[in-house]
Amino acid sequence: MTLQRKSMLRASALGALVVSGALVLTACGSDDNTKNDAGTPGKSTAAVSDIKCDGAKGKVLASGSSAQKNAVDLWIKNYMAACSGVEVNYKSSSSGEGIVAFNQGTVGFAGTDSALKPEAVEESKKICTGGQGIDLPMVGGPIALGFNVAGVDKLNLDATTIANIFNDKIKKWDDEAIKKLNPGVTLPPTAIQAFHRSEDSGTTENLGKYLKAAAPEAWTYEAAKKWPAPGGQAASGSAGVASQVKAVDGAIGYFELSYASSQSIKTVDVNTGAATPVKATGENASKAIAAAKISGTGSDLALKLDYTTKSEGAYPIVLVTYEVVCDKGNKAETLPTVKSFLNYTASDAGQKVLTENGYAPIPAEINTKVREVIATLS
């Protein structure tokens, strides 16, 4: 099969529906998820024998985070190849929409780049009979700052400069603050075109957490899924922001790394105070995520990340995507498939897919706990 993924810039692309096996990306007119949004092949080395179907059957709907979309595409493809007669549909939209869908009871699980807030947990109790929604960390990775500035191939920025770019205080690429961080680089007087997400987004919230922690004087906004700062331009989903950055001279935006890799978008190296500015790579994100602590209680495995790390090679702008499920009270008709699918994504084979495609696997100690919790879902 061939893939022709179109830009998801339009709001209608929020309806993109990934169906694995004979995968149908309905909003994009595609039937092959072995390639990513830019049409370049994704990597998948999973063997059918690595996946245990464990009584899975029927169809499971899921939705949420667009940051994990490229990983989920491959997971679903591999899973459907192993488990015939099973269908997993993932609607890539946003973390906020995923949580809403979960708490409305329309999906078997949801993807979110920020752990459930207390009010969302309380609301989930209406759907999770005798239980509640919990966070299972499944995908890690860097939030890349992609840029498109004619004649500039390498760019270093620190937290304060990033904050002042996105809050509309630094308006030109040859601003003295940027020049100071990039000696020897010829920076043009091009106007900065900063792009942010138009919808509620866990990626936005995680960027906000980083800026609030690392540059509190410059970034005075509380971290939230809704973009808080003045100025800038909005685009829909990670794919939409990436498409705009790719197309517009002077642009900068934020999105999960695979969107930059697939479209050959240059990314910012972040000056953290370490000896060398840190590149946005899965490996460097893993170094930051490895220091995360579990902040959730009981079966909830929400993580607390250190956004101010100065460790050598640790990329600080990271996110963890959680799969949200009921600890108790999952729908009987979808529970076997949900558990089987998540067992695969949390397996060594499933996490290897992340490593091969620019994401960061969940640290082994935490991932062991994830598998233990999946086994207890009821």
Side-chain angles (χ1 to χ4, degrees):
M1 293 182 288
T2 60
L3 170 68
Q4 297 177 337
R5 294 193 187 274
K6 299 181 180 177
S7 170
M8 296 176 68
L9 174 62
R10 297 172 300 171
S12 62
L14 292 175
L17 183 64
V18 177
V19 181
S20 205
L23 183 74
V24 179
L25 193 58
T26 56
C28 302
S30 168
D31 63 353
D32 185 354
N33 69 343
T34 62
K35 299 182 182 180
N36 55 32
D37 286 298
T40 51
K43 297 178 182 178
S44 176
T45 59
V48 170
S49 60
D50 293 330
I51 301 171
K52 295 179 173 59
C53 302
D54 292 331
K57 60 183 178 179
K59 178 187 292 188
V60 169
L61 301 179
S63 69
S65 165
S66 64
Q68 69 170 354
K69 175 189 177 300
N70 292 331
V72 173
D73 281 2
L74 286 168
W75 277 338
I76 292 177
K77 176 181 182 295
N78 295 340
Y79 182 74
M80 286 292 294
C83 302
S84 61
V86 181
E87 194 173 287
V88 179
N89 299 349
Y90 185 76
K91 177 183 176 182
S92 170
S93 52
S94 69
S95 297
E97 291 186 34
I99 292 171
V100 168
F102 180 78
N103 281 338
Q104 290 177 341
T106 60
V107 295
F109 68 91
T112 174
D113 303 325
S114 293
L116 293 168
K117 297 289 191 295
E119 57 271 24
V121 173
E122 191 62 30
E123 188 177 353
S124 73
K125 294 177 181 178
K126 300 173 185 177
I127 298 300
C128 304
T129 307
Q132 65 181 44
I134 58 172
D135 302 286
L136 299 179
M138 200 67 70
V139 181
I143 300 174
L145 298 172
F147 69 95
N148 177 6
V149 183
V152 178
D153 294 323
K154 182 177 175 56
L155 186 67
N156 299 328
L157 297 175
D158 61 12
T160 298
T161 308
I162 294 166
N164 285 331
I165 286 172
F166 279 102
N167 67 18
D168 207 32
K169 291 183 179 178
I170 293 179
K171 299 178 181 293
K172 300 281 188 179
W173 281 109
D174 62 350
D175 188 276
E176 288 301 321
I178 302 177
K179 284 183 176 180
K180 185 177 180 180
L181 293 165
N182 295 273
V185 177
T186 301
L187 294 161
T190 308
I192 293 174
Q193 306 286 339
F195 287 90
H196 58 262
R197 294 280 289 274
S198 59
E199 73 286 357
D200 285 3
S201 160
T203 310
T204 294
E205 185 170 8
N206 279 278
L207 176 63
K209 288 178 180 178
Y210 162 72
L211 293 174
K212 184 69 173 177
E217 293 183 2
W219 194 260
T220 58
Y221 310 98
E222 293 302 319
K225 290 184 175 67
K226 184 177 180 61
W227 181 255
Q233 301 178 60
S236 175
S238 293
V241 175
S243 294
Q244 288 290 77
V245 172
K246 177 75 172 179
V248 177
D249 184 27
I252 186 170
Y254 58 93
F255 31 79
E256 184 274 323
L257 180 62
S258 71
Y259 291 91
S261 302
S262 66
Q263 299 188 52
S264 300
I265 297 171
K266 295 181 286 289
T267 60
V268 170
D269 294 351
V270 177
N271 186 330
T272 64
T276 305
V278 186
K279 295 184 179 299
T281 68
E283 180 182 0
N284 290 345
S286 288
K287 293 176 182 177
I289 295 171
K293 306 295 183 184
I294 294 175
S295 60
T297 58
S299 297
D300 188 273
L301 299 179
L303 302 179
K304 181 176 179 59
L305 299 166
D306 180 8
Y307 295 101
T308 60
T309 179
K310 293 179 173 60
S311 297
E312 293 298 327
Y315 184 82
I317 317 177
V318 294
L319 61 75
V320 171
T321 300
Y322 303 91
E323 312 309 338
V324 176
V325 292
C326 298
D327 58 355
K328 299 176 182 177
N330 291 280
K331 293 179 181 178
E333 62 270 25
T334 58
L335 179 60
T337 302
V338 169
K339 290 180 70 171
S340 170
F341 180 70
L342 294 182
N343 270 324
Y344 162 57
T345 65
S347 70
D348 290 341
Q351 291 292 295
K352 185 179 179 183
V353 169
L354 302 182
T355 304
E356 294 171 342
N357 289 277
Y359 293 90
I362 300 301
E365 181 180 349
I366 297 171
N367 198 39
T368 296
K369 297 182 185 299
V370 172
R371 296 177 193 175
E372 292 171 353
V373 172
I374 292 171
T376 68
L377 299 179
S378 63

